[in-house]
């Protein structure tokens, strides 16, 4: 099963993505996580991407597009993938569409998690990243995924690992920029969503991201089944 998942930063896209990935045993390809891993490891790619990410800008297409298309060609993606964080603009959408067509790869679902911009912004500030596994969701304001406590410190609720915040999650200007890009229906991510929605035969699932995580995932799973 191959799935594209869209949603503004803060919509719970990563959390729902982790649930889908686990249930269907497919690979979770997350553009932002690939960048963060490269930044952490000090690679050339990470060095090139860091300044854009810190500002909340998109990393240029000539870096991002080949990175994702190459990632989708790796062996683990043969069992299916959930692509998260890509495409984020019209050029990426058109390029991905063409590449999938050329490789005769079927897109099974387009999932769109919708959420009001103000709610999304408030949610971003509370999320925490597990240093051990990107698919361990933790959020200080959401009861269902509240971090655990150990020796008076917040730790990952899944594995007890150390938690970090993302620098671009604590910067309101960067959050604003990321949302400007997401909600832009002309050339931004909403335009990319609409590009895929318009493809005949595409199965589109639009879910309201405002309810609690369990409720959203239940609705999502019913429609994916
Ligand atoms: P995310 O984890 O999806 O919020 O992504 C974090 C940051 O990585 C974004 O704000 C961008 O700077 C960069 N990024 C992630 N995906 C893309 C993409 N498809 N195109 C360009 N930049 C991206």
């Amino acid at each position: 099963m191959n799935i594209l998942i869209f949603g503004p930063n803060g919509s719970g896209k990563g959390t729902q993505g982790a649930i889908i990935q686990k249930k269907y045993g497919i690979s979770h390809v997350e553009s932002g996580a690939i960048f963060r891993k490269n930044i952490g490891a000090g690679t050339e790619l990470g060095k090139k991407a860091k300044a854009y990410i810190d500002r909340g800008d998109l990393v240029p297409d000539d870096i991002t597009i080949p990175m994702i298309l190459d990632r989708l060609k790796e062996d683990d993606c043969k069992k299916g993938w959930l692509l998260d964080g890509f495409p984020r603009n019209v050029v990426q959408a058109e390029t991905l569409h063409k590449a999938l067509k050329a490789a005769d790869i079927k897109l099974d679902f387009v999932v769109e998690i919708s959420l009001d911009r103000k709610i999304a912004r408030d949610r971003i500030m509370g999320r925490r990243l597990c240093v051990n596994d990107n698919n361990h969701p933790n959020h200080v304001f959401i009861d269902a995924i509240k971090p655990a406590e150990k020796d008076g410190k917040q730790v990952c609720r899944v594995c007890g690992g150390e938690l970090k915040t993302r620098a671009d999650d604590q910067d309101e200007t960067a959050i604003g920029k990321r949302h400007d890009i997401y909600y832009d229906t002309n050339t931004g991510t909403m335009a990319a969503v609409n590009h895929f929605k318009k493809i005949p035969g595409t199965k589109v699932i639009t879910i309201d991201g405002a309810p609690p995580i369990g409720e959203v995932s239940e609705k999502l799973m019913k429609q994916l089944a």
Side-chain angles (χ1 to χ4, degrees), residues 9 31-32 35-36 52-53 57-59 64 85-86 88 92 166 168 178:
N9 293 112
S31 49
F35 284 129
R36 283 187 287 281
Y52 297 100
I53 293 176
D57 289 328
L58 289 186
V59 177
T64 308
F86 185 98
R88 251 179 159 96
Q92 292 182 7
R166 282 171 47 174
D168 59 342
R178 276 145 66 197

Side-chain angles (χ1 to χ4, degrees), residues 30-43 45-46 71 134:
E30 208 187 332
S31 49
I34 300 175
F35 284 129
R36 283 187 287 281
K37 209 169 149 196
N38 277 277
I39 291 171
T43 67
L45 176 70
R71 175 68 188 89
N134 193 50

Side-chain angles (χ1 to χ4, degrees), residues 12 15-16 19 123 137 139 142 144-145 209-218:
T15 305
Q16 297 301 334
I19 297 170
R123 279 191 183 174
H139 198 293
I142 301 177
I145 54 169
I213 292 164
E215 225 174 277
V216 177
S217 63
E218 203 178 304

